[in-house]
């Protein structure tokens, strides 16, 4: 498939590199000149527990590309989704498929404005990805991708097969809302708490008060999901949290790293989106709302 990776950060480069090794035709799309130069000049080197691999890469700003792409995967931060999709609108043909594997809620609704319901996919992945510098990625060999469509159809299975051939352990889910919301619950707890406290994932697990906050956020998120007729598995989310506490002791969440770097966070598309849906559904989310307000208070002002 002719694939565009829009948003060439750590996750975008991880997925793009895997697809290139599987023989797919991939172009990386980004607005950062440093990232574009690094990918074109040095390609991508991926290091996992199974060793190191390298691939050349092609990268360009959206304005320099033309022709329809078969698959366009969005990997930007949630607050950049609309601008990112608009920038590649000229690359969307009648058969193009859009896929969001971004954190949070609301991204698929933006994609469907450009790709239509039948050709919009959303999903989640638990593959980790760190990028010491553009073109240098560290990850793990174990992980999965779950994806599905806004409507029923074979397109989700087709894309899942392509990603699975690339070693991304991909599956088409019967109800993609469930894994997406379970990851939202996970992220709403860890990201907001870490951004406010400065604690790593392992420190949250070790600190009783922080762990209690995570449990309260999980309670609230599950209640909001239930109001949307989405039944989450508390046991599955708690197991994922426990594994993170045990095996990612020193890991800093993306929201904490953004705060430390004085960057805008994804609080609105993760915890903030849950709070907004709760308000509209009549479900109270006092703990998560307070955490989100504190994250907002710590963010740089637009003039900084």
């Amino acid at each position: 498939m002719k694939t565009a990776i829009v948003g060439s950060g750590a996750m975008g480069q991880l997925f793009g590199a895997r697809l290139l090794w599987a023989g797919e035709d991939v172009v990386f799309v980004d607005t950062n000149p440093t990232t574009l130069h690094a990918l074109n000049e040095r390609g991508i080197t991926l290091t996992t527990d199974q060793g190191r691999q390298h691939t050349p890469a092609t990268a360009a700003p959206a304005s320099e590309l033309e022709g329809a792409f078969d698959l366009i995967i969005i990997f930007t931060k949630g607050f950049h989704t609309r601008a990112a999709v608009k920038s590649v609108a000229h690359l969307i043909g009648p058969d193009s498929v859009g896929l969001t594997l971004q954190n949070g809620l609301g991204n698929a609704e933006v994609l469907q404005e450009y790709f239509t319901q039948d050709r919009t996919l959303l999903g989640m992945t638990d593959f980790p990805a760190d990028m010491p510098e553009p073109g240098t990625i560290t990850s793990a060999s174990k992980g999965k991708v779950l994806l599905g469509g806004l409507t029923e159809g074979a397109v989700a299975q087709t894309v899942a097969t392509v990603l699975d051939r690339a070693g991304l352990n991909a599956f088409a889910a019967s109800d993609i809302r469930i894994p997406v919301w379970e990851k939202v619950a996970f992220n709403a707890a860890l990201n907001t708490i870490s951004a406010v406290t400065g604690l790593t994932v392992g420190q949250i697990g070790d600190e009783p008060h922080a762990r209690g906050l995570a449990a309260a956020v999980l309670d609230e998120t599950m209640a909001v999901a239930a109001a949307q007729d989405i039944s989450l598995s508390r046991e599955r989310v708690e197991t994922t949290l426990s594994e993170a506490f045990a095996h990612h002791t020193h890991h800093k969440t993306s929201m904490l790293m953004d705060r430390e770097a004085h960057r805008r966070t994804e609080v609105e598309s993760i915890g903030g989106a849950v709070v907004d849906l709760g308000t509209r559904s009549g479900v109270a989310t006092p703990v998560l709302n307070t955490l989100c307000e504190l994250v907002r208070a710590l963010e740089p002002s637009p003039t900084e």
Side-chain angles (χ1 to χ4, degrees):
M1 300 181 80
K2 185 180 179 183
T3 301
I5 303 289
V6 183
S8 303
M11 290 300 295
Q13 291 182 38
L14 169 64
F15 272 65
R18 292 285 193 193
L19 287 166
L20 283 167
W21 285 317
E24 299 295 333
D25 179 4
V26 178
V27 176
F28 295 89
V29 181
D30 208 274
T31 58
N32 189 318
T34 301
T35 298
L36 297 175
H37 177 77
L39 293 177
N40 284 320
E41 290 295 313
R42 301 195 300 271
I44 299 172
T45 300
L46 172 64
T47 302
T48 70
D49 52 305
Q50 293 186 338
R52 179 177 297 180
Q53 291 177 281
H54 178 269
T55 180
T58 300
S63 59
E64 293 184 5
L65 299 173
E66 59 184 20
F69 280 70
D70 300 309
L71 176 63
I72 299 177
I73 310 178
I74 308 298
F75 273 116
T76 65
K77 296 283 191 180
F79 48 79
H80 287 315
T81 300
R82 185 169 296 279
V85 179
K86 184 177 180 181
S87 75
V88 296
H90 61 293
L91 307 178
I92 300 173
D95 296 322
S96 299
V97 175
L99 168 63
T100 167
L101 294 173
Q102 299 156 281
N103 288 329
L105 303 172
N107 297 299
E109 288 73 10
V110 176
L111 266 66
Q112 81 169 50
E113 296 175 20
Y114 293 83
F115 291 92
T116 74
Q117 273 195 333
D118 291 340
R119 307 199 72 78
T120 296
L121 303 178
L122 69 157
M124 60 76 65
T125 179
D126 57 7
F127 275 102
D130 292 307
M131 184 177 69
E133 61 179 349
T136 302
I137 306 297
T138 59
S139 184
S141 57
K142 292 184 178 179
K144 65 181 179 299
V145 178
L146 296 174
L147 59 87
L150 296 177
T151 59
E152 294 184 7
V155 66
Q157 184 57 61
T158 299
V159 174
T161 299
V162 171
L163 296 179
D164 193 57
R165 283 201 305 259
L168 289 162
N169 196 26
F171 303 89
S174 57
D175 186 350
I176 191 56
R177 299 176 304 164
I178 293 173
V180 165
W181 266 87
E182 288 180 355
K183 187 173 181 181
V184 166
F186 175 89
N187 280 327
L190 293 189
N191 274 275
T192 55
I193 293 170
S194 65
V196 169
T197 63
L199 297 175
T200 65
V201 170
Q203 288 170 333
I204 292 172
D206 290 339
E207 212 295 311
H209 299 290
R211 194 156 185 161
L213 285 173
V217 170
L218 178 54
D219 287 337
E220 294 177 358
T221 305
M222 290 191 66
V224 174
Q228 319 307 311
D229 294 321
I230 302 171
S231 180
L232 307 185
S233 166
R234 185 184 186 93
E235 180 182 1
R236 195 157 48 227
V237 180
E238 287 181 337
T239 297
T240 304
L241 284 168
S242 296
E243 290 176 351
F245 294 147
H247 302 298
H248 302 285
T249 308
H250 304 293
H251 178 71
K252 291 184 178 183
T253 68
S254 60
M255 201 173 289
L256 174 56
M257 290 191 290
D258 284 339
R259 186 179 73 77
E260 290 180 338
H262 304 287
R263 296 188 297 254
R264 184 179 178 185
T265 73
E266 290 188 284
V267 65
E268 303 303 343
S269 57
I270 301 176
V274 175
V275 171
D276 287 345
L277 274 174
T279 300
R280 282 183 265 156
S281 306
V283 178
T285 55
V287 175
L288 183 54
N289 183 53
T290 299
L291 287 167
C292 289
E293 287 287 79
L294 288 169
V295 174
R296 294 181 185 112
L298 293 168
E299 284 195 338
S301 66
T303 57
E304 290 184 27

